[in-house]
Amino acid sequence: MTPHSDEHERLDSIASRSLYAHEIYLATLDHAFEILCRHLRPGQILELGPAEGMMTDRLYRLDHPLTVVEGAARFCEEIAARCPGADVVNTLFEEFAPDQHFDTIVLGHVLEHVADPVRLLQRVGDWLAPEGIIFAAVPNSRSLHRQAAVTMGLLPFEEALNELDIKHGHRRVYNPETFRRDFIEAGLAIQVFGGYFVKAASQGQLAQIATPEMIDAFCRVGERYPDIAAELYVVAGSATPAA
């Protein structure tokens, strides 16, 4: 047994029943990628925790050097087959020790999964190149659909883990303040805070009624009202950038 064997088993279990490549998530992912591209730094890209690799496929098409770190072996095999030019590393974040720095580091729906997000962000900050950026996105507990669930008695409070959170292996649900707090406590400088995708109903309900045009509009309206959007994002860099 390795020190992190339990975590490897947990990730493999989640991978066997992952839902990230389905329904509305894929429709909103294109908008997340659009936002990321506004801030992307040319050069080396590192993606942590890609799951099925839906964001990886988009990053790969940018034709920048791409390193992907994923703890679930199944996901690594699938990504390596689709993206043969990427460096796909099957390891836990705690075990990853790169010999280079990265210009853009992507954590899409990662921080809600890990045991110690502040410690991870500290490590990620050490991997940044001068003037490099971290792009991170997480679900927002204050999303309209979660607020409605509390009002309807389906959730006890907004940050409570719902059935889908548990399926995905989430350990927490961030609100805007706790999301920003973790970056500040990690010693990182937040350059941009935002949100996207106003979500007034559950994923399953939206899948039955929403058109691609509606989802795109909901994503863009969410940028106007980040505190109640379904997804939050931060662009951050080193607190003391190189002179």
Side-chain angles (χ1 to χ4, degrees):
M1 296 280 285
T2 68
H4 300 294
S5 59
D6 287 347
E7 184 65 7
H8 277 290
E9 290 176 7
R10 189 181 83 90
L11 293 173
D12 285 336
S13 174
I14 293 168
S16 69
R17 50 189 166 82
S18 177
L19 301 173
Y20 278 128
H22 301 287
E23 297 180 347
I24 302 301
Y25 176 74
L26 285 180
T28 62
L29 186 64
D30 282 329
H31 195 79
F33 181 64
E34 177 186 320
I35 294 171
L36 168 59
C37 285
R38 298 173 197 166
H39 306 282
L40 190 80
R41 299 293 193 266
Q44 297 281 344
I45 299 174
L46 170 65
E47 184 186 15
L48 299 179
E52 289 98 334
M54 302 297 102
M55 179 64 83
T56 314
D57 292 339
R58 290 155 176 77
L59 293 171
Y60 189 64
R61 291 196 290 269
L62 294 174
D63 204 26
H64 293 297
L66 175 62
T67 300
V68 177
V69 177
E70 169 58 52
R74 170 189 164 188
F75 287 154
C76 287
E77 293 167 5
E78 294 171 354
I79 292 169
R82 293 198 313 273
C83 306
D87 181 14
V88 181
V89 183
N90 179 204
T91 190
L92 300 179
F93 306 144
E94 296 87 348
E95 299 169 341
F96 182 56
D99 58 3
Q100 62 178 317
H101 290 88
F102 299 92
D103 301 283
T104 301
I105 301 179
V106 181
L107 296 90
H109 286 218
V110 166
L111 294 175
E112 67 269 27
H113 289 265
V114 299
D116 189 342
V118 172
R119 176 58 184 146
L120 174 60
L121 287 170
Q122 289 170 336
R123 287 174 57 80
V124 168
D126 291 339
W127 304 335
L128 273 180
E131 308 301 328
I133 62 107
I134 299 164
F135 176 86
V138 299
N140 181 13
S141 71
R142 292 204 191 120
S143 172
L144 287 179
H145 79 290
R146 294 186 76 98
Q147 293 194 50
V150 173
T151 301
M152 295 166 66
L154 302 176
L155 271 182
F157 55 94
E158 292 163 4
E159 284 80 19
L161 297 177
N162 63 26
E163 183 180 352
L164 198 57
D165 290 317
I166 294 167
K167 277 187 177 180
H168 283 318
H170 294 175
R171 286 184 160 110
R172 66 192 59 80
V173 187
Y174 281 101
N175 62 45
E177 292 77 28
T178 57
F179 188 36
R180 292 192 292 259
R181 177 204 64 199
D182 279 1
F183 282 83
I184 294 166
E185 289 188 359
L188 296 167
I190 296 174
Q191 300 172 5
V192 181
F193 166 80
Y196 60 95
F197 188 35
V198 168
K199 182 180 178 183
S202 72
Q203 199 130 313
Q205 291 167 331
L206 286 176
Q208 296 177 40
I209 64 171
T211 65
E213 293 79 13
M214 288 170 63
I215 297 301
D216 181 68
F218 292 156
C219 284
R220 296 185 188 284
V221 171
E223 289 205 61
R224 302 179 191 173
Y225 307 103
D227 281 4
I228 59 169
E231 308 290 339
L232 300 172
Y233 74 88
V234 155
V235 178
S238 298
T240 53

